[in-house]
Amino acid sequence: MTDTYIRGVGMTRFGRHTGTYATDLAQEAIFAALRDADTRLDEIEAVYCANVFGGMILGQVLVRDLGLKGIPVYNVENACASGATAVHLARHALKAGEYRNVLVVGIEMLTQLGGGTIPLQRNDDKTELYAQAGMVLPAVYAMRGTRFLHEGRGTRADLAAVAVKNRAHGALNEYAQQRTPVTGGEVLSSRTIADPLTLLQCCPSQVDGAAALVLGTAPQGSKPVKVLASIVQSGIAESADDDILDAEITARAARLAYEQAGVGPGDVGVVELHDAFTIAELLYYEALGLAGPGEAVSLLHSGATRVGGRVPVNPSGGLLAKGHPLGATGVAQMVEVAWHLQGRAGARQSGAPRIGLTQCTGGGIAGVDHAASSVHILGV
């Protein structure tokens, strides 16, 4: 099977892009990735477009004006894991020898939804209990946070410390939506969204952005980034007594990714994970094997996950500060990790990591941990 490399990366600033069309935003990221890959547009043999709320055939709309001559365009929707899933599918085609160079682009214009929380599922689906009950993701994660506090695994200040760390990282990132450092007191005193989660512990819902990768079967540059593992898993139906704090789908995806890459958690030098809410980062420390059971808070306060620490987590600012334009998130995580592996992360650079990991979950549906979870491991 053919090896797969990230040949070039590009992304836009995440934030409110009022008056900008999705086509313009996506093409900004696409051309940045092509320049970075030193690849011509006519060398691209297929396009994978990840998006959640943009409607049908968005990929074809985005590339219509690029002059591509009828090549395959694949539209991928898998909730927040859409971008990562698009990379997963593109890698399969490359490894099978179907293509030599492909483009993956993730794009989302959440400001067009008009604000508020992101809907989980169609509320006219009588089988989807979350939607029928009016459940929203902040409430789902708030239940996890409440249980975390109830079991004595951490405090409200510990949850706030995640936001303090990631917003400090975001202040270093010119692509991040939120670039203002905050204190623990400011996090805790911000408006309550779903107790115990306050406003500054939730990723912003009004954000637009795009990110792109050129993937290929030949290495590019003096420090090529290889895709060592690509895993996508779906949720398993839970029983009534399942632990709400057990991120089973992510732990399963991580275990398969480590096996596929032939590395372990101790080899990872930089991580971008799905911190849509502060409690999520702490749970994923343990699911990814970065911390042992019950040791997530200790890992956080040790400084190991800060920029400059042993294994920086969300040096981009994560979803909390960089922003979470759904279809773009999984791709943008890989852009950030590729920059770190190549020593191109600027003020966020921590040493010279050789292995990086991205993790993205997606979809809140009743009866499973998550609808989808993806883990990718990159290396130089």
Side-chain angles (χ1 to χ4, degrees):
M1 298 288 281
T2 306
D3 290 335
T4 307
Y5 296 89
I6 295 178
R7 293 175 51 83
V9 302
M11 64 180 291
T12 70
R13 180 183 59 81
F14 283 8
R16 294 173 180 262
H17 288 271
T18 305
T20 302
Y21 293 108
T23 50
D24 297 330
L25 207 59
Q27 289 172 19
E28 179 183 338
I30 289 169
F31 284 117
L34 288 168
R35 287 192 301 270
D36 194 48
D38 192 21
T39 297
R40 301 189 314 274
L41 193 58
D42 62 10
E43 294 179 87
I44 298 298
E45 299 170 287
V47 175
Y48 293 77
C49 177
N51 178 264
V52 179
F53 290 111
M56 293 189 298
I57 59 170
L58 180 63
Q60 286 86 340
V61 173
L62 297 180
V63 304
R64 175 184 54 200
D65 301 327
L66 298 181
L68 295 172
K69 305 298 184 182
I71 65 172
V73 177
Y74 304 97
N75 292 288
V76 180
E77 186 276 305
N78 210 12
C80 305
S82 296
T85 302
V87 173
H88 179 74
L89 295 174
R91 180 175 182 258
H92 271 299
L94 289 166
K95 290 183 73 66
E98 188 72 18
Y99 309 118
R100 292 169 297 175
N101 290 295
V102 302
L103 174 71
V104 179
V105 58
I107 171 72
E108 206 72 57
M109 303 287 286
L110 289 181
T111 58
Q112 295 180 356
L113 297 182
T117 59
I118 295 170
L120 289 180
Q121 294 289 332
R122 291 168 42 196
N123 59 14
D124 60 348
D125 183 351
K126 303 303 182 184
T127 68
E128 187 39 57
L129 301 181
Y130 272 6
Q132 287 296 303
M135 184 67 77
V136 291
L137 279 174
V140 174
Y141 280 92
M143 288 192 292
R144 292 179 176 130
T146 299
R147 187 69 192 183
F148 191 82
L149 300 179
H150 173 74
E151 292 186 1
R153 293 171 59 172
T155 66
R156 290 174 182 263
D158 295 326
L159 294 177
V162 175
V164 172
K165 173 182 73 72
N166 290 354
R167 289 176 183 273
H169 291 173
L172 303 174
N173 185 3
E174 65 271 25
Y175 293 93
Q177 181 180 28
Q178 305 287 342
R179 301 199 61 194
T180 304
V182 296
T183 65
E186 288 172 329
V187 173
L188 291 172
S189 63
S190 62
R191 176 166 54 91
T192 297
I193 299 300
D195 189 61
L197 301 178
T198 60
L199 178 65
L200 293 179
Q201 296 185 63
C202 306
C203 65
S205 62
Q206 289 288 284
V207 57
D208 308 319
L213 304 172
V214 175
L215 299 178
T217 55
Q220 167 71 17
S222 60
K223 206 170 187 180
V225 176
K226 185 176 179 180
V227 182
L228 300 176
S230 176
I231 299 293
V232 174
Q233 295 283 284
S234 59
I236 297 173
E238 298 175 322
S239 60
D241 60 352
D242 278 346
D243 184 358
I244 195 173
L245 300 182
D246 179 21
E248 185 278 331
I249 185 175
T250 292
R252 172 163 34 102
R255 183 175 62 253
L256 293 171
Y258 289 134
E259 290 174 0
Q260 189 176 95
V263 302
D267 299 310
V268 176
V270 61
V271 174
E272 284 282 311
L273 59 74
H274 192 99
D275 63 323
F277 304 91
T278 52
I279 181 61
E281 178 160 326
L282 295 174
L283 298 182
Y284 293 145
Y285 284 173
E286 298 181 18
L288 296 173
L290 304 177
E295 296 177 353
V297 169
S298 296
L299 178 67
L300 173 67
H301 289 302
S302 74
T305 60
R306 285 184 170 272
V307 166
R310 174 177 56 82
V311 54
V313 174
N314 289 324
S316 70
L319 282 59
L320 286 170
K322 183 179 63 180
H324 183 25
L326 310 184
T329 290
V331 181
Q333 288 179 327
M334 295 185 206
V335 171
E336 179 74 12
V337 168
W339 278 335
H340 281 269
L341 296 179
Q342 294 178 325
R344 298 195 289 161
R348 306 186 304 283
Q349 187 72 40
S350 293
R354 298 190 59 80
I355 302 292
L357 181 148
T358 68
Q359 175 265 340
C360 202
T361 55
I365 58 176
V368 299
D369 175 6
H370 278 90
S373 185
S374 66
V375 173
H376 286 77
I377 297 178
L378 312 178
V380 293

